[in-house]
Amino acid sequence: MPQSVPSLPRRVARTLRTSLFAQVACALVIGVVVGRLWPHAGSAVQPLGDGFVRLIKAMIAPLVFCVVVAGITKAGDLKAFGRIGLKALIWFEVATTVALVVGLLAGNLGGPGIGMNVDPDKLDASAVDEKTGGGELPSTSEFILHSLPDSAVGAFAENSLLQVLVLSCLVGAALLHLGHTKVPAILPAIEQAQEVVFAVVGFIMKLAPLAVFGATAHLVGEYGLGALSTYGKLIGICYAVALLFLVLLGLALKALTGLSLWKFVRYTREEMLLALGTASSETVMPRMMQKLRQAGCRDDAVGLVLPTGYSFNLDGASIYLSVGTLFIAQAVGVDLTIGQQITVVLVLMLTSKGMAGVPGSAFLALSATASALGVIPAGAVALLLGVDRIMDAMRVATNLLGNCVAVFVVSRWEGALDTARAKKVLGGEIAFVPEQAEEPGGAEMSAAGPKSLAPAADPATPSASPSRFPDAPSSTARE
């Protein structure tokens, strides 16, 4: 007797019940509708999105610490970790410079601010101060000094990723120095703590649809859609440049690793949609670390490159800043020379590295650029206040994909990428199985099979340097 096919409503219900992507997509649509029809209600549900972001951020610092320490000790080679960091910084600088140059070229060709004829004296410069809270971007020396923790607890309490990375490197180096005989229980404890963190992240991710609904409803309810008509040309150019930059990233990824960026986007579609819905790439960092590890990237490369990229590789923000600088110059009738535009690139190359975690950092960077040029009135930066939030989706998607591509490229450069496994994972031959908590009876909550996160468990994975913890149990070797 032929098996009956489930009805359409049942198939839809099953998809909504089992697919995070479908849940987040529905929440995004509902949030737009609620924010458009009932703006006050949209603003009232903002805490749903803010609460989710706070919960995820609480897990990022301990997760980065566990992944980096475990990665260093398993690789068994601190010099290799240093090479990964240096290669990551080189890639970040190249990618950021390309993003800035492409943005300036598009701004010159598109002329988003030409014809606006704005009188800067009539702009309210105090609105920018309110947006930035009167702060300023740190200088180079301040940025370097701030990356060094003055308190081990403070680094975690303030959720400072660079400080946590420094602590992680020191702890990993100490474990390598002491070896398994002196501290036999430390590495297993760190790996078990990592399992706990991933399980907590799994619990929090179940709230993702509510977070997307709250964040989207607030954005549409608070800011409306009117800016689309006023700043249509600027928005179109920024998004077009971001798309062009992602195409260039995809070509670079294909040439250097043989992997497809489009397949990676499909592989991480849930995380991408969640990041767009909450306007925060930090909300998906834990899941991205899991997916990159399963896609063939070694633990130490993922643990160092991805978190560092959140401070050093803001490609989307760089595009926005370069196009935005030309926009405000054109809007107030200032024609920047080639030399001044080169100055814009040089200034933004520096200021974009200190933007992470600073309130209103984009406006601070634009103000610093205007001051360095000396020909753009500082008050003209206020022109971008009405369009800044609409640029979030472009910045978040470009920043996130730029950092993930950096992980693949640096891993391949260092010989820490299992390309064969990566192609199977991105092609859908190996399904992603997130870390899950166990049911009371010991049964796994996921019905997809045994957990498998790290590429080291795959026979095709390149062998790492001999670890000084040869007898320590490894969570990445479980199948």
Side-chain angles (χ1 to χ4, degrees), residues 67 95 158 255 263 273 417:
V67 170
E158 297 173 5
K263 289 183 178 180
L273 194 58
L417 174 65

Side-chain angles (χ1 to χ4, degrees), residues 28 68 81 93 113 141-142 145 155 163 190 201 205 209 239 281 313 354 371 392 457 472:
L28 188 67
V68 171
F81 200 73
E93 196 56 54
S141 59
E142 290 173 339
L145 189 61
Q163 293 184 9
I190 290 175
V201 170
M205 288 298 293
Y239 276 81
S281 56
N313 192 41
S371 300
D392 280 343

Side-chain angles (χ1 to χ4, degrees), residues 226-308:
L228 293 175
S229 58
T230 306
Y231 295 93
K233 193 172 184 180
L234 173 62
I235 296 170
I237 289 177
C238 282
Y239 276 81
V241 173
L243 182 60
L244 174 61
F245 179 77
L246 291 178
V247 170
L248 294 176
L249 269 185
L251 294 174
L253 180 65
K254 189 70 175 178
L256 297 174
T257 68
L259 303 178
S260 167
L261 181 59
W262 173 246
K263 289 183 178 180
F264 178 76
V265 171
R266 287 194 304 173
Y267 172 58
T268 58
R269 59 187 180 275
E270 296 173 351
E271 290 74 24
M272 292 300 301
L273 194 58
L274 176 59
L276 293 175
T278 58
S280 172
S281 56
E282 288 187 341
T283 58
V284 297
M285 182 192 287
R287 288 266 295 196
M288 280 297 191
M289 293 180 79
Q290 292 184 65
K291 287 202 165 183
L292 287 166
R293 291 166 64 194
Q294 180 165 328
C297 298
R298 208 168 63 198
D299 284 12
D300 51 350
V302 174
L304 180 62
V305 179
L306 189 64
T308 307

Side-chain angles (χ1 to χ4, degrees), residues 327-351:
F327 168 77
I328 59 178
Q330 294 165 357
V332 298
V334 175
D335 186 17
L336 297 180
T337 65
I338 296 298
Q340 289 171 329
Q341 294 191 32
I342 293 175
T343 302
V344 169
V345 172
L346 296 176
V347 172
L348 291 179
M349 281 174 59
L350 296 175
T351 56

